[in-house]
Amino acid sequence: MKILALDSSGLVASAAIVENDVTVAEYTINHKKTHSQTLLPMLDEIKQMTELELSTIDAIAIACGPGSFTGLRIGSATAKGLGLALDIPIIPVPTVDSLAYNLYGSQKLICPLMDARRNQVYTGLYTFKGEELVTLVAQCAVDISEIIDKINETGKEVIFLGDGVSVYEEKIKELTQVGFYLAPACCNRQRAACVASLGEKLYRLGTVQSAAEHAPDYLRLSQAERERMERKTL
């Protein structure tokens, strides 16, 4: 099975081709430019370097949210366009789940943290049982103290990863009452290969959509939607 995977949910833009459990190519960048400037050129570079025939792709795995509203829309539009053109399914992969998949096989608690602004993080709580990712707290948008309280209640060691770690590092050190680790650079940000690997498992469970059906999962209202609702209540 050959999967094209995309992740533009946060500061990182990442694209990968994974075929039969082998990462054929992965292109990840986290440097200033917007996803609208990077994602399609990255895909084109992968296509040329691997001599990829788009017709050989079986499915597109996309980090479907939560995350940056603009980033999610760019990734979704790219996936939908390719899915429609190629007539192949889309595998919606929860962003926080795929970030946790970076730490495959860890017996410790895994706590991804994405900076959601407005004093919140997109987060969740996970561990692995054998080869299976087990969700202890489903992805959510909460105050950093709320997820750390849940970690403290477990009494178990935890690994933090994601762009929210640097934003809330002082809070993590202040509030965490169990042993904790901060994941190193090699595995602390979004990776499209992880989206593909988790996406293949979801595909085999039947978690797929048509390109026409696919839409991002923002998890919370955008600023414009919040402001519109606030005006209606005045």
Side-chain angles (χ1 to χ4, degrees):
M1 184 176 187
K2 185 181 290 185
I3 294 177
L4 167 64
L6 305 171
D7 193 328
S8 57
S9 59
L11 299 175
V12 172
S14 187
I17 297 290
V18 173
E19 183 175 12
N20 299 329
D21 290 328
V22 174
T23 301
V24 178
E26 184 176 35
Y27 194 152
T28 300
I29 189 165
N30 182 12
H31 184 70
K32 297 180 181 179
K33 292 184 178 179
T34 65
H35 296 325
S36 60
Q37 295 173 294
T38 57
L39 200 58
L40 286 175
M42 289 164 59
L43 283 171
D44 186 57
E45 183 73 13
I46 286 175
K47 180 177 179 295
Q48 292 186 46
M49 291 295 290
T50 63
E51 300 177 336
L52 174 67
E53 293 289 341
L54 292 177
S55 60
T56 63
I57 296 172
D58 295 298
I60 301 169
I62 177 76
C64 66
S68 157
F69 286 79
T70 301
L72 291 175
R73 284 193 289 267
I74 291 169
S76 176
T78 303
K80 285 171 75 73
L82 288 169
L84 287 167
L86 300 172
D87 192 25
I88 56 177
I90 290 177
I91 311 166
V93 181
T95 300
V96 182
D97 294 20
S98 62
L99 188 52
Y101 218 69
N102 272 276
L103 302 179
Y104 178 87
S106 175
Q107 299 303 300
K108 293 181 171 57
L109 296 180
I110 302 169
C111 184
L113 298 173
M114 295 174 63
D115 183 18
R117 311 248 175 128
R118 297 172 58 231
N119 297 313
Q120 287 190 324
V121 288
Y122 295 124
T123 187
L125 202 55
Y126 306 84
T127 191
F128 277 88
K129 186 174 182 180
E131 296 183 349
E132 295 302 316
L133 180 68
V134 178
T135 301
L136 304 175
V137 175
Q139 61 178 23
C140 53
V142 297
D143 186 278
I144 183 67
S145 61
E146 185 173 332
I147 192 66
I148 292 178
D149 284 345
K150 292 182 183 297
I151 292 167
N152 290 337
E153 288 171 7
T154 70
K156 297 180 179 179
E157 291 186 325
V158 62
I159 306 175
F160 293 101
L161 72 159
D163 61 53
V165 172
S166 58
V167 177
Y168 293 100
E169 187 169 353
E170 288 187 11
K171 283 285 187 181
I172 291 170
K173 292 177 178 178
E174 175 190 344
L175 299 175
T176 307
Q177 298 172 4
V178 298
F180 68 90
Y181 306 85
L182 308 182
C186 60
C187 57
N188 69 4
R189 292 293 189 275
Q190 287 90 337
R191 286 189 56 196
C194 290
V195 176
S197 295
L198 184 53
E200 183 174 355
K201 288 182 176 291
L202 294 173
Y203 179 90
R204 299 193 186 286
L205 292 172
T207 306
V208 296
Q209 301 170 327
S210 69
E213 292 172 325
H214 175 67
D217 179 10
Y218 297 116
L219 204 60
R220 69 181 191 188
L221 297 176
S222 69
Q223 182 176 345
E225 290 171 316
R226 291 195 306 271
E227 290 175 351
R228 185 170 65 248
M229 290 183 67
E230 287 169 1
R231 286 195 298 271
K232 287 182 177 179
T233 59
L234 294 177

